[in-house]
Amino acid sequence: MRSQGQTWVEARDRINLEITSGRLAPDTRLPSEPELCVLYGTRRHSLRKALAALVAEGKLRVEHGRGTFVERAPLLNYVIGSRTRFRENLMSQGLTASGETLAEMKIPASARVAAALDIAVEAPVHARSWRGFANDLPISMGWGYHDAARFPDLQERRRTVRSITEVYRSYGIADYRRLRTTVFTRIASESEAAMLMLRAGQSVLVVQKIDADLDGRPIGFSEAVWAGDRVQFTFESDQPTVMTTERDSDV
């Protein structure tokens, strides 16, 4: 048996080296504490401090009732700024962006949608549900809303072009900016977990956003659910308004 004298820093560095070298692959469950103490030659209190440090650094994750696992590196660093584009975000990192429409309809605006788009409650809006992919792996799904009075045939135009940016240009909107982004976390619903290929009980990131034309008039509102283990968000300093909260309610 190895000496039990290694410090928590030495234990942390040894475990970290095994993670960075690939010997401990993402999603690998670590052995029990007694086994780790023998393997890394340290006492239990030092081991626990080393594991806690690696959890804080994002190298490990603790799943209560299951154990300690090697964390996955996010597939995508999604940059949110005044000009946020799904396709450009993925292409800049060598990823292939794609998506599918799940549902389309025209509905009366709810109070929440009306407030976001600065229109009257129950005014007609185009509602579209979608799912987004990076390299064919699902990373997001959600609903988007547009004022039907301003964009009367939006759904038809979307079928002929590949991006909402091109649709806006067809209406004479040369460019647009992110007006507001709100981010919070919650547990994925059963249907969301299935659609995003997540484990039951896994957390998702919910992103609500409002885009506006260059005059500051809202043109689109959406709420998307993102697979939290496949994406991290970076907010650029020119982002006008960012609101971050944590909730347990459904979308």
Side-chain angles (χ1 to χ4, degrees), residues 137-157:
L137 182 68
I139 59 172
S140 66
M141 60 182 296
W143 283 90
Y145 305 90
H146 293 84
D147 180 6
R150 186 172 187 182
F151 306 106
D153 58 347
L154 179 140
Q155 293 176 350
E156 289 74 14
R157 296 194 190 194

Side-chain angles (χ1 to χ4, degrees), residues 33-218:
E33 285 188 358
E35 292 174 307
L36 288 172
C37 287
V38 173
L39 184 62
Y40 295 108
T42 189
R43 299 184 184 277
R44 182 167 291 190
H45 73 275
S46 296
L47 174 72
R48 289 177 175 173
K49 191 171 182 179
L51 296 179
L54 290 169
V55 168
E57 293 172 12
K59 303 291 181 61
L60 299 175
R61 70 177 186 274
V62 176
E63 296 186 10
H64 296 292
R66 299 190 66 229
T68 302
F69 294 79
V70 179
E71 187 60 280
R72 301 188 197 101
L75 170 69
L76 169 66
N77 179 40
Y78 197 88
V79 179
I80 296 179
S82 60
R83 291 179 173 84
T84 299
R85 310 290 186 266
F86 179 81
R87 191 175 301 275
E88 292 174 8
N89 255 300
L90 271 63
M91 289 179 61
S92 67
Q93 297 172 68
L95 301 171
T96 301
S98 60
E100 64 176 346
T101 296
L102 303 176
E104 285 182 328
M105 61 193 73
K106 185 184 291 186
I107 61 174
S110 66
R112 184 168 65 97
V113 171
L117 294 178
D118 194 22
I119 59 177
V121 175
E122 296 193 356
V125 293
H126 296 296
R128 173 178 173 267
S129 176
W130 80 91
R131 183 166 57 156
F133 299 82
N135 287 357
D136 297 324
L137 182 68
I139 59 172
S140 66
M141 60 182 296
W143 283 90
Y145 305 90
H146 293 84
D147 180 6
R150 186 172 187 182
F151 306 106
D153 58 347
L154 179 140
Q155 293 176 350
E156 289 74 14
R157 296 194 190 194
R158 285 206 67 132
R159 297 188 186 101
T160 62
V161 297
R162 67 175 186 172
S163 72
I164 190 63
T165 299
E166 294 180 27
V167 172
Y168 288 149
R169 286 175 183 159
S170 73
Y171 284 102
I173 301 172
D175 199 3
Y176 63 99
R177 292 178 178 270
R178 179 65 57 86
L179 185 64
R180 178 181 299 166
T181 304
T182 302
V183 182
F184 57 90
T185 64
R186 61 168 172 77
I187 301 300
S189 68
E190 186 176 338
S191 60
E192 289 166 348
M195 292 292 287
L196 294 177
M197 299 172 60
L198 302 175
R199 299 185 305 275
Q202 192 167 340
S203 294
V204 290
L205 289 165
V206 182
V207 179
Q208 298 172 339
K209 69 180 182 72
I210 302 173
D211 290 328
D213 60 25
L214 298 186
D215 294 326
R217 182 181 174 189

